[in-house]
């Protein structure tokens, strides 16, 4: 979408907020799952965050969800606005007009500890792969968790003369939905840091879900899925790690996404790695597969299909060992059997070293032997068979 068109829509007389029940159909177009912040992470003073968001679906209206689901205290949102970015990268809006966002008609809203708030819809044309700048002003201090390296955001304290400087924290914006007559499917990419894109440096393509969205954007609208990235670095399937467990956050981070039709699931390496090799704290293949099946049961209850991803190589990662590697391989073999999920994507095959299959390919390893770099994340996004999204009943 041309910036001028978007700005004209934002400034036009026809732009209004309407009750959510008037929207015919909504679909997820962007996401960032909430997670707790570390004890050593700094508190930010009252001020404004800017988030650069790339939509993965087109529509005639937008709605924003803000979450403090794992925050340590209540927050107060004083104002939210959206605007077009002034350049191809960064969070600057220059002299572009901004449009205020309201919550049940009010410009400010309380965000309780553990709470979520949803904005009034904004009526304007929004296009697939369009970037918007969402600015969120807090009148209280906040302590957001750390995030992946690539997403573009900035912060300015509420002091005279303060300027916006880049910051790397998890956004309080957790979901962007659009309304459209053509929303054939919405994919939630669900997982841990490898889905989150933790070591990805690209501001344009966040993790393998971002690459999937780029590929889907080239399809006709009637075949295009929206993509919502709900990866959390450090997350586990069976118990709380970073954020609550995958099983417990299904309802918050999957079921809450409008029009979700598919989940691409990649998680489990943190369960294996954080456990011991033997004893009650060891995670077995059977335990992890039980967790997978529980996740699938939750999804099937809502008519959602789950595509399972094989876990990527990690033998030389700090928390892995040959014993744990055998668990990973056993789980991957079960995934490939086709008896656990509705479909399969072989992420391991996309990034493993042919000469040492328990390791990442050298060109995909940023040095920690666990998280694929941007090239590896691209290979993972390219490994997804788009036809799978159409073949599943």
């Amino acid at each position: 979408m041309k910036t001028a068109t978007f700005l004209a829509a934002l400034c036009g007389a026809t732009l209004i907020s309407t009750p959510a029940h008037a929207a015919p159909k909504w679909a997820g177009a962007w996401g960032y799952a909430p997670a707790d912040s570390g004890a050593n992470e700094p508190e930010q003073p009252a001020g404004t965050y800017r988030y650069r968001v790339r939509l993965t679906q087109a529509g005639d209206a937008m709605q924003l969800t803000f979450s403090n689901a794992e925050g340590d205290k209540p927050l107060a949102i004083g104002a939210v606005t959206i605007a077009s970015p002034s350049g191809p990268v960064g969070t600057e809006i220059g002299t572009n007009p901004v449009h205020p966002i309201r919550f049940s008609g009010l410009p400010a809203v309380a965000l309780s500890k553990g709470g979520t708030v949803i904005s009034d819809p904004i009526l304007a044309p929004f296009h697939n792969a369009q970037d918007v700048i969402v600015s969120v002003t807090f009148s209280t201090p906040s302590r957001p968790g750390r995030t992946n390296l690539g997403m573009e955001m900035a912060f300015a304290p509420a002091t005279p003369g303060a300027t916006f400087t880049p910051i790397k924290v998890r956004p309080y914006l957790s979901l962007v939905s659009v309304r459209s007559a053509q929303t054939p499917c919405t994919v939630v990419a669900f997982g841990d840091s490898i889905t989150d894109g933790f070591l990805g440096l690209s501001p344009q393509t966040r993790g393998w879900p971002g690459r999937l969205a780029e590929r889907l954007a080239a399809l006709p609208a009637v075949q295009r899925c929206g993509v919502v990235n709900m990866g959390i670095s450090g997350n586990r399937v069976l118990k709380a790690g970073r954020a609550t467990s995958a099983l417990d956050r299904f309802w918050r981070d999957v079921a809450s996404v409008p029009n979700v039709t598919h989940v691409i699931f990649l998680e489990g390496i943190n369960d294996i790695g954080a456990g011991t090799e033997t004893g009650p704290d060891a995670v077995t293949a059977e335990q992890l597969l039980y967790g997978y099946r529980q996740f699938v049961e939750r999804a099937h209850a809502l008519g959602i299909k789950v595509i399972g991803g094989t876990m990527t190589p990690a033998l030389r990662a700090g928390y892995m060992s040959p014993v744990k590697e055998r668990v990973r391989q056993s789980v991957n073999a079960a995934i490939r059997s086709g008896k656990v999920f509705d479909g399969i994507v072989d992420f391991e095959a996309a990034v493993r070293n042919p000469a040492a299959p328990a390791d990442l390919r050298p060109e995909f390893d940023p040095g920690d032997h666990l998280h694929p770099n941007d090239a590896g994340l691209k290979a993972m996004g390219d490994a997804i068979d788009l036809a799978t999204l159409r073949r599943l009943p």
Side-chain angles (χ1 to χ4, degrees), residues 235-249:
N235 198 232
R236 302 186 206 175
V237 177
L238 300 173
K239 64 171 69 173
R242 179 84 188 281
T244 191
S245 73
L247 296 180
D248 288 337
R249 73 183 182 95

Side-chain angles (χ1 to χ4, degrees), residues 217-242:
L219 298 178
V222 294
Q223 300 177 15
R224 185 187 308 133
C225 301
V227 179
V228 175
N229 187 339
M230 290 298 189
I232 298 179
S233 299
N235 198 232
R236 302 186 206 175
V237 177
L238 300 173
K239 64 171 69 173
R242 179 84 188 281

